[in-house]
Amino acid sequence: AQSVTQLGSHVSVSEGALVLLRCNYSSSVPPYLFWYVQYPNQGLQLLLKYTSAATLVKGINGFEAEFKKSETSFHLTKPSAHMSDAAEYFCAVSERGSQGNLIFGKGTKLSVKP
Amino acid sequence: ETGVTQSPTHLIKTRGQQVTLRCSSQSGHNTVSWYQQALGQGPQFIFQYYREEENGRGNFPPRFSGLQFPNYSSELNVNALELDDSALYLCASRLGGPNYGYTFGSGTRLTVV
């Protein structure tokens, strides 16, 4: 069965530093890949998605992610962290040919220090 | 766009009771899914509806059931509530196929005591 692994349940960076949140998937056939952000007491907001066009995907709020088939990875990055980026981030996959339900990782909580 | 709205935002129920959670999706979003998010976990897929028919289900027992209506609203019903049902329940809808990505509501926080 398809699974998603997010390395690091908690990542802490300083304001202005690089943000790197890791995501690996298990499928041998590249799935659709998504990153969502969740602020406290809110639902999930789509940051970006990979659906087989360009492997480097740009999203909202300055985030981007690169799909690497050889590494089965879809890591999320942002060059310079802002205090408002503090939130929980979820990587999710949807298998091609399926009904499209999302399989989520356990999430990574990002803290940003002043 | 009006987004996805869920009601109520918070709910407290007693073990053994039944609960109905409601969701109103964006116009044109024919696919709606429900997810359960336990504290500190990622969302878990409950089931999905497309044009009022269930077309996918996760690993949840039959006491979790749903309905989707022609006006893009939907319901999640849970019977015989258990303490472990305490979670944030998220409704999500999408406009097209799986590559579109879902729009999520803010969720209903259910506490079972």
Side-chain angles (χ1 to χ4, degrees):
Chain A
Q2 177 71 264
S3 66
V4 179
T5 302
Q6 290 186 243
L7 284 176
S9 59
H10 194 178
V11 170
S12 182
V13 300
S14 297
E15 193 172 19
L18 170 72
V19 175
L20 171 60
L21 305 182
R22 300 177 187 273
C23 172
N24 289 87
Y25 62 91
S26 64
S27 175
S28 57
V29 176
Y32 298 120
L33 293 151
F34 305 86
W35 275 100
Y36 284 88
V37 61
Q38 186 176 35
Y39 296 99
N41 301 313
Q42 293 190 27
L44 282 74
Q45 180 183 10
L46 180 66
L47 278 176
L48 48 77
K49 61 181 179 180
Y50 167 76
T51 58
S52 77
T55 56
L56 182 62
V57 181
K58 295 188 183 298
I60 62 171
N61 302 338
F63 284 94
E64 60 183 38
E66 186 172 10
F67 168 70
K68 291 187 176 180
K69 183 179 178 180
S70 60
E71 298 178 7
T72 59
S73 69
F74 191 55
H75 302 330
L76 182 71
T77 60
K78 182 173 181 178
S80 177
H82 193 273
M83 296 296 290
S84 61
D85 294 327
E88 186 134 29
Y89 292 80
F90 292 95
C91 180
V93 304
S94 173
E95 291 195 35
R96 294 173 190 270
S98 73
Q99 299 302 330
N101 57 283
L102 296 172
I103 300 165
F104 284 87
K106 291 188 176 181
T108 297
K109 186 173 182 179
L110 176 67
S111 299
V112 182
K113 299 175 290 187
Chain B
E1 290 188 346
T2 55
V4 177
T5 56
Q6 293 187 241
S7 61
T9 55
H10 295 82
L11 199 54
I12 299 175
K13 288 287 192 177
T14 303
R15 189 172 51 182
Q17 285 188 314
Q18 179 267 341
V19 70
T20 297
L21 309 182
R22 293 181 171 81
C23 173
S24 179
S25 302
Q26 295 178 232
S27 179
H29 283 212
N30 291 316
T31 302
V32 65
S33 295
W34 286 87
Y35 291 81
Q36 180 196 67
Q37 186 178 18
L39 206 59
Q41 300 293 318
Q44 297 288 318
F45 173 64
I46 303 175
F47 48 60
Q48 177 172 291
Y49 279 77
Y50 174 70
R51 293 187 173 177
E52 303 160 53
E53 300 263 345
E54 184 180 302
N55 71 345
R57 191 175 184 92
N59 189 26
F60 281 80
R63 59 190 186 84
F64 285 79
S65 63
L67 287 171
Q68 184 187 23
F69 303 101
N71 64 351
Y72 305 108
S73 65
S74 60
E75 290 180 354
L76 164 64
N77 299 287
V78 187
N79 293 323
L81 283 166
E82 300 177 0
L83 296 179
D84 285 348
D85 295 334
S86 295
L88 180 67
Y89 288 86
L90 296 163
C91 173
S93 67
R94 68 172 196 241
L95 179 61
N99 59 318
Y100 271 71
Y102 282 97
T103 300
F104 280 80
S106 296
T108 294
R109 174 73 64 186
L110 173 65
T111 302
V112 182
V113 298

